[in-house]
Amino acid sequence: EGRVWLEGGEFERFRGGAHVPGTTGDLGYFVALNVRETDGLRDTFRNDREQISGKLVYSPADGSRLTLRGEHIDRDEVFPGDLLQSEFDTDPTQVGRIAGSDEELESQLVSLKFDQTVGTNGQLEIVSVVRGQDSEGLARFQGPNRSELVDLTIKALYHHRWNTASTDLIVGVERF
């Protein structure tokens, strides 16, 4: 069942989004879009976020499942940080020198996961995840900052459940 929602409030707060789940034959899907804007707590405060994500799930045979997931997030955040009373009285819109930040951040994620039932008590899981993140601005505690990060994670795991004494064996490897 799909859903659409909107919220609003003080300090120019707005949130909204929609998601749609469904199936077509052996293929399941989910798509979601979310937006958040929060401006006006202080003149420079901003906490905006736009996110879109999706997931496809396919079961090619009994006991197996392939899941593809993707996500994109844009964030624009200004957290003024702490100001002394004299600083606030001089200019309440300034970014505080203690714990203040002003950053734009963009991140992406794509993952592929394969699950396979092995016999009656085993489960094999293989996952690959690629993440990327670009950020620019005045980072909290770091000053001016520009970074581009990409990482790849691969995991293989076997989980076996014995019928006696609630004992499980889990063996795996994960590479970052």
Side-chain angles (χ1 to χ4, degrees), residues 50-64:
E50 297 171 356
Q51 175 181 358
I52 186 166
S53 59
K55 180 166 60 169
L56 296 173
V57 180
Y58 176 64
S59 297
D62 285 346
S64 66

Side-chain angles (χ1 to χ4, degrees), residues 24 56 67 84 103 156:
T24 303
L56 296 173
T67 304
L84 300 173
E103 282 190 285

Side-chain angles (χ1 to χ4, degrees), residues 80-171:
D82 299 330
L83 295 175
L84 300 173
Q85 184 64 48
S86 60
E87 293 171 324
F88 183 81
D89 292 342
T90 302
D91 180 5
T93 66
Q94 64 183 301
V95 173
R97 57 190 164 73
I98 302 172
S101 67
D102 182 352
E103 282 190 285
E104 292 184 23
L105 210 118
E106 183 178 321
S107 61
Q108 304 81 29
L109 175 138
V110 176
S111 69
L112 183 62
K113 178 180 178 184
F114 177 71
D115 290 296
Q116 177 67 53
T117 300
V118 179
T120 57
N121 296 341
Q123 186 71 31
L124 176 66
E125 177 183 302
I126 301 170
V127 182
S128 176
V129 179
V130 177
R131 292 179 190 91
Q133 179 174 297
D134 298 334
S135 65
E136 184 172 8
L138 180 63
R140 199 172 287 228
F141 304 114
Q142 295 178 348
N145 181 35
R146 169 89 177 117
S147 66
E148 294 180 17
L149 306 171
V150 175
D151 71 54
L152 170 66
T153 302
I154 298 172
K155 177 175 84 170
L157 176 81
Y158 177 73
H159 184 180
H160 189 86
R161 293 171 190 85
W162 274 282
N163 292 331
T164 59
S166 300
T167 305
D168 288 7
L169 171 68
I170 301 172
V171 178

